[in-house]
Amino acid sequence: MGRQAALNLHINLSGEIMTDHKALARLQSHEEFVAGTHDFQADIERLAESDLITTILETVMLATNMRFAAIARVTADRWVACRTIDDVQFGITEGDEIAIESTFCQTVRETSEMIIFNDASTDPECRGHPIATSFGIVSYASVPIYRSDESFFGTLCAIDIEPRDVKSPRAVAMLKMFSDLIGRILETEERIEAQEYQIEYERNLVNFQEEFVAILGHDLRNPVAAFGAGIRQLDREPLTSHGRELLMLMRASVHRMNELVSNILLHAKSRLGHGIAVSAIPDAPLLQTIQHVVDEIRITVPDNEILLDIDLEHPVSCDPDRVGQVVSNLLSNAVSHGTPGAQVRIIAKSAAEELYIEVENSGPPIPLEMQKVLFQPFRRGVDNSKGLGLGLHISSSIAKAHGGRLTVTSEGAITKFRLELPTLGPPSST
């Protein structure tokens, strides 16, 4: 969005697009894409219908904490959204067009350089910019996308109305990597449409899947593990009472980061076709697993009382680590979304044919419409500010991998999640 001149495009916070009559006559919209008459129909379809592109944009949002991400087709005189994920409600979706002279992306196309800032109020080049000032855009990134023949396609954009650390070296490297990857995807898709290089496409897709998971595993899990090791070392040192309080907060943050990293990795593997694998063992040590998870979370939320009612009379064949992850996700969810300081109950019972584990908390009920989509990825319940919305999706996927299920009931002031697993373990094909 333009660095030089004042803008003639106005986007209000409800997402309405307003221009002068001359500009309006040449702008296209989502309705034309739906009707199949858009000037950039093929480009939009190629990106809007790709699960891989959706995964890339979701990952950009996860890694940068931005709430709007898009890929735009940009020419000398056109800016058209090809794929968007809009949690800020800008109202821009596939096929919508913005006047090119009113975008930063025009500068990106002309200079071949990304435009990126964490906070428009402090950035020396963007302070006081009309679009940032008028419409609350605070943090922004726009990265050029090129095909392998060096022809310019468009931009990978991320926007938020709050400051975000998008200029960190890791975030910048990730954005560049994904813009390069999108360029390769575009070219490969075009070859597929022409029935060329099908084998090469499959090979590139597999390589990307492996590269994607490896980058997440190395760049996210290793630093968190190092942070945890440092905290354990500090715990052995003499500290003041205030230092102990800070250490408890740091330990809680590490626990939460580990939980998020595990969920992100499992989600990535599942979305990229690997699914969630479970390794069931006979007579799994579930009592110890559940107790360990509860002890960890008790340290992080000392104000909440966590009550246990465990009776595992019958042996259970399952993957205890994965079941422990479900319990951790459900318990963290109960503490996060329940009434502050209220009791949380965990009930675990095993019978001849079934194990069930229930996590119950008090708090505002979950609306029925939200319950219907609660186990979908990136659904975060009533309070969208808490968590990434992956924990319940991952937990449900783990239940299914065991041949079981995860359900929710929320009536009055009580919300209860129930995990049901067959005691004989998951099907042999899992």
Side-chain angles (χ1 to χ4, degrees), residues 238-258:
L239 296 172
T240 65
S241 58
H242 180 61
R244 287 291 169 189
E245 292 177 0
L246 291 177
L247 194 64
M248 182 183 68
L249 295 175
M250 293 168 65
R251 187 181 290 113
S253 296
V254 168
H255 174 81
R256 182 60 178 151
M257 284 189 289
N258 268 318

Side-chain angles (χ1 to χ4, degrees), residues 181-209:
L181 179 61
I182 292 167
R184 295 199 299 269
I185 292 171
L186 286 167
E187 183 178 36
T188 303
E189 291 285 347
E190 290 165 356
R191 290 180 178 179
I192 290 175
E193 291 171 2
Q195 297 184 350
E196 297 177 2
Y197 305 108
Q198 181 68 38
I199 296 177
E200 180 182 353
Y201 166 76
E202 296 295 340
R203 185 182 299 115
N204 288 341
L205 183 59
V206 170
N207 290 340
F208 165 72
Q209 292 172 353

Side-chain angles (χ1 to χ4, degrees), residues 4 54 150 163 174 202 217 233 248 268 307 310 344 388 411 425:
Q4 305 297 323
T54 301
E150 299 185 356
M174 179 203 66
E202 296 295 340
Q233 186 65 35
M248 182 183 68
L307 303 179
I310 301 178
V344 177
L388 294 173
E411 300 177 354

